[in-house]
Amino acid sequence: MILLALLVLSIPICAIAGLVLGLSARGRLDALHQRIAILEAELRLAKAQTGGQTASASEAPPAATPETPVEEPVVVPEPEPSRPTVSVPTVQATVPQPAPARQDFEEKLGARWAVWIGGIALALGGIFLVRYSIEQNLLSPGTRIALGGLFALALIGAGEWLRRRELELVLPGIPSANVPAILTAAGTCSAFASAYAAYALYDLITPATTFVLLGLIAVLTMIAATLHGPILAALGLLGAIGSPLLVSSDKPQPWALVIYLAFVVLPAYGVAHLRLWRWLALAAPIGVLAWTFLIFIMDDTDALPAMVHLVVQTGLAAVFLAVIPYRHVSDAESGIDWPASGILFAFGLAGIAISSSVIAGDARPVFVAAMALVLLATGIRFSSAAPATAWAALTVAGALLVWPIAAEIGGTPENLFYQSGDAFAVRPHALQAYLALALLLPAAIAGASLVRSARSPHLGVSTAAWYAGTAVIGPLLALIAAYWRVAEFERSLPFALVAGGLALAFIAAAGWLNRQPSSPENPIRLTLGATASAALAALALGLTFALDKGMLTVAFALTALGTAWVADRIAIPALRYAVGTIGVIILGRLIWDPTIVGGDPGPVLFNWLLWGYGVPALAFLAAGRLLQRTGRDWTVRLTESLGIAFAAFLIFFEIRHALRAGDPLAATTDLLEIGLVATESLVFALVLTRLDIRQSDPVYRWGSLIFKALSLVLCAGGLLLVVNPLLTEDEVLGGPLFNALIPAYLLPAVLAAALALIERRARPRPYSLSSAVLSLLLFSAYIGLAIRRIAAGPQLALWKGFTQGEQWSYSLALLLIGILLLGLGLVFNNRSARLVSAVYLVLAVLKVFIVDLANLEGVMRALSFIGLGLVLISISLVYQRLLARRPSDAAIPS
C-alpha cells in the first residue's frame, strides 16, 4: 500500500519535471533562433555601411551615431578597431525583435495561468491526499504524515532545483510564469499542514517538538520567499493560514491553533521587512484576525485562547507595522500611517467583541488592560501610530459599555455601591473589577497622552490632535459608559461627584499646560484648549448625572455662557468651539424631548418651556455677543443661530401649550394657532431684517428669509385655504368685533406691511412686493371675514348664504380699500399702490353691476349704485386736480 501511494505521488512530479524539461528545450531552441537572426541582421548592416561609409557619414545627423569616432581622437581614447562603424542602438532600432510584445490567449492559458493554477492544485492535492487517506483509513497516522512531509520536500526540492537553473529556463515573452516560486509555495503549504496535523490530530509529536518544527518551517518559508519573490510569500501565507480549515478534527484544540498562527505570521512579517513588501505586512494581521472569532467559538466554555491570541497578534502587528519601520524616524519627519492604524483599530474592535462574552470571566479585566496597554505603548512611542492611543481609549470605553455586569453579579447594579447607596456595603468582586478598570485605565491613557503631547515640541498639528483628543475624550467616554451600565441614566450623586473630580483634574491639567514653555512649533495651545473644553464637558456631565431633565437643559445653557465668558478673557480657540458644541447638544436634547420634562410642562406661560427654551435662548445670544468681541467667525454665527432657534421654539411651543390644553405635541391645529405662528414668523423676519440692514450678516439674512418663507406658507396655505372659516365648519372664537380674526389675519397683515416698508429700502423689489401682496391679501381677508362674522355669526361657512346687507357691505369694503390704497399711493407717491387701488375699484364696479344688480333690492340696490357713483366721481376730481397742478409739456424747457 505504501509503494502504491508513493507511485501515485511520483506520477504528478514526473509529469511536471517532463513538462519543465520540454519547455526548457523549446526555450533554448527559440533563443538560438533569435541569436542567429540578430547576427544575420548585423552582418547585412555592416556590409551596407562599409559600401557607403563616406556618404552616410556626411549626411547622418550627429545624434544618430553617438558611438562613431569623431575627428579628434582625444574625445574617445583607444576606440575599438574591429567594429568602428557599428552602432548598437541603430541595430536595435532597425532589426525587429522576434519576441511578441503582447501575449495571446493561448500563451496566457498554457504558460502563465496553468502554472499558477497548477501550483495551487499541488498544494491542495497534498492536503486532500492526506484527508483521503484519513477518510478511507488506508494508512497509519505516522505514514500519512510521512507521505505528506515527503511530498512537501519533493515540491520544495523541485522548486529550488528549478530556481538554480533559472537563467536556462527563461520562457520567451513570459517572464512572470515563476514556476520555482509556485512549486516552493505548494511545498510550504503541505509542510505546514503535515506538521499541524501531526500535533493536533494524531498527537504524534509533543508541543515542544511542534514549536521547533513549525519554527523551522517558518524560517525555511521566510528564506525561500526572499529568494523566490512575492508569489511564494502570497501563496505560502494563504495556504498556511487556510490549511487548518481543510484539516478538520472532531476535537478542536484552540491552543494548538493559537500556537500555529503565531508561528505562521512571524515569517510573513520577517519577509515583509526584509523585502520591503508592505502588502504582506498588512495581509498577515488581517488573516490571523479573522481566526480570532473561529478560535472563540471552538470552545464555548473558555475564552482564554481567543484572548491570548488577540493580545499576541496585536503585539506582533504593533512591532512589525509601527515599531520596526519607524524606530529611527523623528516626530518632525513622521506622519500618520493610516493602514497600520487601521489594522490596530480592527484589533481593538475585536477586543471589545471578545470582552462582551460572559465566558470571559475573571480574565476580562486583564485582557482589556493588556490590549489597551499594547495599543497605548505603540501610539505613545511612535507618532506615526498616534491613533493607537485613541484606539486604546476606545477599547476601554467599549469594554466598559459591553461588560456583562448583570450576568456576573446576579442582578442589575443599583449604584456605584450596589447596595442601595450604602457606602459601607461590600460590593461584588465583578463590580469592583469593573470600577477599578474604569478608574485606572482611562486615567493612565489620558495622562500618558497628555504628557506626550506637551513634551513633544516637534509634533505636527494632526498628530498632536490625536494625543490631545485621546487625553480628553477617553476619560469622558469611560465615565459615560460606566454611568450607563451602572446607573442606567438615572440620577446618581456618586457619578456626579466623579464627574466633578474629573473636571477638576482637567482644570489642573490646563493650568499645568499653561505654565509650559510654548513656541510656534509646539502645538501646546491645542492641548490646552482641549483640556479646558474637557473640563466644561465633565462639568456638564456632572450636572447631567445630578439634575433632572429640565434643570439639565438650563445647566448646559449656563455652562455655554460661562464658557463664552472664559473664552473672552483667555484666547483659547477650543473654548469657542465648545460653546457651539454645547449648543448642538442642547438642540439635540430638545429635539429628543420638546416638552423638557417628558409630559405636561406646567401652567400657561410660566412653565418648564420658559426655562428649557428661554434660558438657552438668552444664554446663547449673550454668548454670541461675548464671542463677537474677538471676531465674528462661524462659531459666533452658530451661537447666534442657536439663540434665535431656541427663542423661536419657545414662542412656538408656548402657543401650542396654551391652545392645546397643556399638550404642545398635540396633532391638531386651528385658525388661531396658525395665525399666531404666522405672526411669530413675521415678527422674527421683521427683527432679523432690521438687524441685517444694520449689520449685514448671513445669519440675519438667511434667518429673515427662512421666517418669511415660513410665514408665506402659513398664510397662503393655512389661513387662506386649509383653516379658512369660509371653507370649514369651525367656529370663530370671540365676539362679533373682537375675535380670533384679529390675531389670525389683521395682525399678520400689519406686520407684513411693516416688513414690506423695511424691505423697500434694503432688499430687491420682489422682496418688498411679496410682503405687500401678502399684507393686502390678509387685510382683505380680514375685512371680508369680519363682515361675515357680524352678519352670519360664529360659523362662517359659505353654504349658509348671504343677506342683502352683507352683500352691500362687501361692495362698500371694496370701495373703501380702493380709496385707502389710492390715498396711500398719492401720499407716498407710490404708483404700485395706485394701480392696486384701481384693481379694487374695478372689482367694486363689477360687483355692483353684476352681483348687486341681480341680488339686491330696494334701497340696498340704490345705495350700492349711489355709493359707487360718488366714489368714482370723487376719484375723478382728485385726479383732475393732480393733473392740473403738474406743469404742462409746453412749459417745460426743451
Side-chain angles (χ1 to χ4, degrees):
M1 190 65 68
I2 296 176
L3 294 176
L4 178 60
L6 291 174
L7 180 61
V8 173
L9 188 63
S10 63
I11 290 176
I13 298 177
C14 295
I16 293 172
L19 175 63
V20 172
L21 291 176
L23 292 175
S24 174
R26 181 176 179 181
R28 293 177 182 176
L29 183 60
D30 292 339
L32 289 175
H33 283 302
Q34 291 180 13
R35 293 182 180 180
I36 293 173
I38 292 174
L39 289 175
E40 289 177 352
E42 289 182 352
L43 183 58
R44 288 194 298 269
L45 183 61
K47 290 180 180 180
Q49 289 182 349
T50 303
Q53 183 175 3
T54 307
S56 62
S58 60
E59 296 176 2
T65 57
E67 298 183 7
T68 304
V70 294
E71 294 180 0
E72 297 181 4
V74 182
V75 179
V76 183
E78 298 182 3
E80 254 183 80
S82 59
R83 298 171 63 187
T85 59
V86 177
S87 178
V88 177
T90 306
V91 172
Q92 292 180 355
T94 305
V95 180
Q97 297 294 331
R102 300 178 58 184
Q103 303 173 21
D104 57 12
F105 178 75
E106 181 181 2
E107 291 174 342
K108 292 181 179 180
L109 180 63
R112 176 181 291 182
W113 296 350
V115 175
W116 292 349
I117 299 175
I120 298 174
L122 286 174
L124 296 177
I127 297 173
F128 288 138
L129 184 61
V130 176
R131 184 172 183 175
Y132 176 76
S133 66
I134 296 171
E135 293 174 350
Q136 301 298 325
N137 198 20
L138 299 177
L139 305 172
S140 63
T143 305
R144 299 167 189 167
I145 299 302
L147 289 178
L150 290 176
F151 182 70
L153 291 176
L155 291 177
I156 295 173
E160 180 62 20
W161 179 72
L162 292 177
R163 186 192 65 80
R164 295 182 179 183
R165 299 170 57 86
E166 191 173 7
L167 296 177
E168 302 177 4
L169 287 175
V170 175
L171 301 181
I174 312 176
S176 59
N178 197 339
V179 179
I182 294 175
L183 291 177
T184 308
T188 301
C189 294
S190 299
F192 271 116
S194 300
Y196 177 70
Y199 168 71
L201 299 181
Y202 305 117
D203 293 329
L204 296 177
I205 53 179
T206 62
T209 306
T210 306
F211 293 156
V212 175
L213 185 58
L214 290 177
L216 179 61
I217 295 174
V219 172
L220 291 176
T221 304
M222 180 176 63
I223 297 174
T226 56
L227 296 174
H228 289 276
I231 293 179
L232 175 61
L235 293 181
L237 178 64
L238 180 63
I241 291 180
S243 57
L245 293 175
L246 301 177
V247 183
S248 59
S249 174
D250 296 334
K251 296 180 179 179
Q253 299 187 22
W255 283 113
L257 188 56
V258 171
I259 298 170
Y260 173 79
L261 291 174
F263 277 97
V264 162
V265 78
L266 278 173
Y269 284 130
V271 171
H273 175 64
L274 291 176
R275 296 297 299 270
L276 301 179
W277 291 337
R278 179 71 168 171
W279 60 270
L280 183 60
L282 296 175
I286 293 175
V288 296
L289 183 61
W291 272 103
T292 302
F293 302 98
L294 296 178
I295 296 174
F296 180 73
I297 63 178
M298 283 184 179
D299 190 354
D300 56 358
T301 61
D302 188 10
L304 188 59
M307 292 179 178
V308 173
H309 166 75
L310 198 58
V311 173
V312 170
Q313 295 299 336
T314 304
L316 292 175
V319 169
F320 287 97
L321 294 180
V323 176
I324 294 178
Y326 299 103
R327 63 186 183 278
H328 299 307
V329 180
S330 62
D331 291 341
E333 299 173 352
S334 64
I336 300 298
D337 188 342
W338 291 111
S341 301
I343 294 295
L344 295 177
F345 177 66
F347 278 106
L349 291 181
I352 295 174
I354 296 299
S355 65
S356 64
S357 174
V358 178
I359 63 175
D362 295 336
R364 183 184 293 106
V366 179
F367 166 68
V368 175
M371 288 289 298
L373 291 178
V374 169
L375 295 173
L376 177 64
T378 305
I380 291 296
R381 175 60 183 83
F382 303 96
S383 58
S384 298
T389 57
W391 308 155
L394 290 178
T395 301
V396 175
L400 293 174
L401 188 62
V402 301
W403 198 303
I405 305 176
E408 291 186 347
I409 66 177
T412 302
E414 300 174 7
N415 210 315
L416 277 177
F417 309 105
Y418 179 64
Q419 300 292 336
S420 301
D422 186 2
F424 301 99
V426 178
R427 292 184 293 273
H429 173 70
L431 188 58
Q432 285 182 344
Y434 181 88
L435 296 176
L437 187 74
L439 179 64
L440 298 179
L441 268 184
I445 295 172
S449 301
L450 193 65
V451 173
R452 180 68 163 90
S453 176
R455 296 296 175 83
S456 302
H458 302 295
L459 286 176
V461 176
S462 59
T463 306
W466 280 103
Y467 291 127
T470 302
V472 299
I473 295 177
L476 294 175
L477 290 180
L479 178 61
I480 293 173
Y483 171 71
W484 184 354
R485 296 308 311 279
V486 176
E488 295 184 345
F489 291 128
E490 296 296 333
R491 292 181 57 189
S492 175
L493 183 58
F495 271 103
L497 295 176
V498 173
L502 182 60
L504 293 177
F506 281 129
I507 293 173
W512 175 72
L513 290 171
N514 198 26
R515 293 189 298 270
Q516 299 298 314
S518 61
S519 61
E521 297 83 9
N522 191 354
I524 196 172
R525 302 293 295 178
L526 176 65
T527 311
L528 177 61
T531 52
S533 302
L536 295 172
L539 178 61
L541 287 177
L543 295 174
T544 303
F545 300 157
L547 300 178
D548 286 331
K549 301 175 182 179
M551 292 305 299
L552 174 63
T553 306
V554 176
F556 268 92
L558 296 178
T559 302
L561 180 59
T563 305
W565 181 79
V566 174
D568 181 44
R569 284 154 177 78
I570 302 177
I572 301 178
L575 294 179
R576 301 172 65 89
Y577 308 146
V579 176
T581 303
I582 296 174
V584 173
I585 294 174
I586 296 176
L587 182 61
R589 183 257 179 275
L590 294 178
I591 293 175
W592 177 264
D593 184 10
T595 62
I596 308 298
V597 292
D600 189 358
V604 178
L605 189 57
F606 296 101
N607 46 46
W608 274 110
L609 294 173
L610 185 62
W611 290 99
Y613 289 94
V615 173
L618 294 176
F620 279 94
L621 290 176
R625 294 301 177 187
L626 290 174
L627 296 177
Q628 190 176 357
R629 296 177 181 178
T630 55
R632 189 171 181 82
D633 54 1
W634 67 269
T635 56
V636 177
R637 296 188 177 96
L638 175 62
T639 304
E640 287 192 349
S641 300
L642 290 172
I644 295 171
F646 291 142
F649 282 131
L650 169 64
I651 299 175
F652 172 75
F653 282 113
E654 285 285 6
I655 293 173
R656 296 277 299 168
H657 175 62
L659 298 180
R660 299 276 80 83
D663 186 9
L665 302 181
T668 60
T669 187
D670 57 11
L671 173 69
L672 181 59
E673 179 181 340
I674 293 181
L676 291 176
V677 175
T679 301
E680 174 197 357
S681 301
L682 288 170
V683 169
F684 274 93
L686 191 66
V687 174
L688 292 176
T689 303
R690 291 290 300 270
L691 292 175
D692 187 37
I693 294 174
R694 182 182 303 174
Q695 179 184 0
S696 180
D697 189 83
V699 173
Y700 305 143
R701 187 178 308 111
W702 286 102
S704 63
L705 293 178
I706 291 173
F707 281 110
K708 180 179 178 179
L710 180 61
S711 65
L712 289 174
V713 172
L714 291 173
C715 294
L719 296 176
L720 299 179
L721 293 177
V722 177
V723 294
N724 192 332
L726 295 177
L727 306 178
T728 64
E729 296 182 357
D730 298 333
E731 294 184 356
V732 176
L733 301 177
L737 295 179
F738 299 98
N739 47 51
L741 298 176
I742 295 177
Y745 290 94
L746 181 59
L747 188 56
V750 175
L751 293 174
L755 181 61
L757 292 176
I758 296 176
E759 290 177 333
R760 182 183 178 186
R761 300 191 299 269
R763 296 282 173 84
R765 181 177 174 81
Y767 287 82
S768 60
L769 185 61
S770 61
S771 300
V773 171
L774 177 64
S775 174
L776 188 59
L777 290 176
L778 291 175
F779 182 72
S780 302
Y782 170 73
I783 295 298
L785 292 173
I787 294 174
R788 180 70 172 169
R789 173 65 181 84
I790 296 173
Q795 196 173 45
L796 312 183
L798 293 174
W799 57 266
K800 293 180 63 175
F802 300 92
T803 62
Q804 292 191 10
E806 181 181 355
Q807 291 191 6
W808 180 83
S809 300
Y810 292 142
S811 302
L812 180 61
L814 288 174
L815 291 174
L816 293 177
I817 294 175
I819 294 172
L820 177 62
L821 291 174
L822 178 60
L824 293 175
L826 295 175
V827 171
F828 295 101
N829 194 22
N830 192 317
R831 187 170 181 269
S832 299
R834 297 195 297 268
L835 293 177
V836 174
S837 70
V839 173
Y840 274 86
L841 293 176
V842 169
L843 290 176
V845 170
L846 293 176
K847 182 180 182 303
V848 169
F849 280 90
I850 296 176
V851 178
D852 294 355
L853 184 63
N855 296 323
L856 296 183
E857 297 177 355
V859 67
M860 289 296 180
R861 179 187 299 176
L863 291 177
S864 178
F865 277 87
I866 292 172
L868 176 63
L870 292 175
V871 170
L872 293 178
I873 292 174
S874 300
I875 292 174
S876 176
L877 292 175
V878 171
Y879 267 97
Q880 289 178 6
R881 292 199 174 188
L882 289 177
L883 293 176
R885 293 180 181 178
R886 291 183 180 180
S888 61
D889 295 339
I892 299 176
S894 58

